[in-house]
Amino acid sequence: RAIISVSDKSSLKLILPTLKKFSIEIVSSGGSFKKIRSMNYNSIDISNYTGFSEILDGRVKTLHPKIYAGILNIRKNKKHKKDLKKQNVPNIDLVIVDLYPFEKKLKEKIKFDKLIEYIDIGGPTLVRAAAKNFNDVTIISNISDYDKLAKELKINKGSTSIKFRKFMSAKAFSLT
């Protein structure tokens, strides 16, 4: 299962066919969900997945225990497995996120009340959660890595290697 929440949707076409090939379920939010569906790929809207609607004009979309428990659980930990089963929370094994373009918007000299909406909260939280749990979860935090992910999934028949996950985790931590 993957969660996709990206600001730059221009390169999704590079990764979606590979996710489909390996039957990786996609959960996505807001504009990412709409873009993925418009490209004729299946995706579950994050609100349907969590049972909690986006609120505050989209300020709260991905911040939900079902998302973070699915990402942060240690797959070999029996207590974690028990907790997930009790709460009916499935694993999330792949997180594809890029952050809102705050610096770009800052240069555009837009009004402060619009600019402040480009301060990303959920994105960095998703990135750091996935990077922290690199033993079990792959984080892709830059669209330039979509091709690397596609190659890795093909080589490993729908999975990723620990070496790849560690490398992507280090990149993600340097971003945040």
Side-chain angles (χ1 to χ4, degrees), residues 33-170:
F33 172 77
K34 290 175 188 155
K35 180 66 175 177
I36 292 165
R37 294 298 293 259
S38 77
M39 297 169 68
N40 294 316
Y41 288 92
N42 290 330
S43 182
I44 300 165
D45 182 82
I46 200 147
S47 296
N48 292 333
Y49 182 77
T50 62
F52 192 87
S53 297
E54 289 184 20
I55 59 171
L56 307 178
D57 300 317
R59 281 184 162 198
V60 178
K61 294 184 280 261
T62 60
L63 298 168
H64 192 279
K66 187 172 183 179
I67 300 296
Y68 290 94
I71 294 169
L72 285 166
N73 77 87
I74 298 168
R75 306 311 195 257
K76 293 179 181 175
N77 182 309
K78 289 179 183 177
K79 185 177 182 317
H80 287 196
K81 284 182 184 181
K82 186 178 173 185
D83 286 346
L84 291 187
K85 187 174 183 178
K86 183 179 176 184
Q87 297 293 330
N88 194 28
V89 174
N91 289 333
I92 296 173
D93 307 300
L94 172 61
V95 176
I96 301 175
V97 175
D98 66 356
L99 305 182
Y100 292 159
F102 181 77
E103 290 82 6
K104 179 181 170 189
K105 294 297 180 181
L106 187 61
K107 291 175 186 170
E108 291 178 13
K109 308 276 191 238
I110 63 175
K111 292 187 179 191
F112 180 77
D113 60 334
K114 293 230 186 257
L115 178 65
I116 202 164
E117 296 308 320
Y118 287 93
I119 296 173
D120 201 331
I121 305 301
T125 307
L126 285 167
V127 168
R128 291 182 67 82
K132 177 178 181 170
N133 204 22
F134 67 85
N135 277 314
D136 295 308
V137 179
T138 305
I139 175 64
I140 302 297
S141 57
N142 191 308
I143 63 171
S144 67
D145 293 320
Y146 289 2
D147 59 336
K148 293 178 189 81
L149 174 62
K151 287 177 190 170
E152 183 75 7
L153 290 169
K154 287 174 186 169
I155 290 167
N156 294 288
K157 298 177 178 67
S159 296
T160 58
S161 66
I162 186 66
K163 182 179 177 183
F164 181 78
R165 293 192 304 273
K166 280 183 180 178
F167 179 71
M168 289 296 129
S169 176

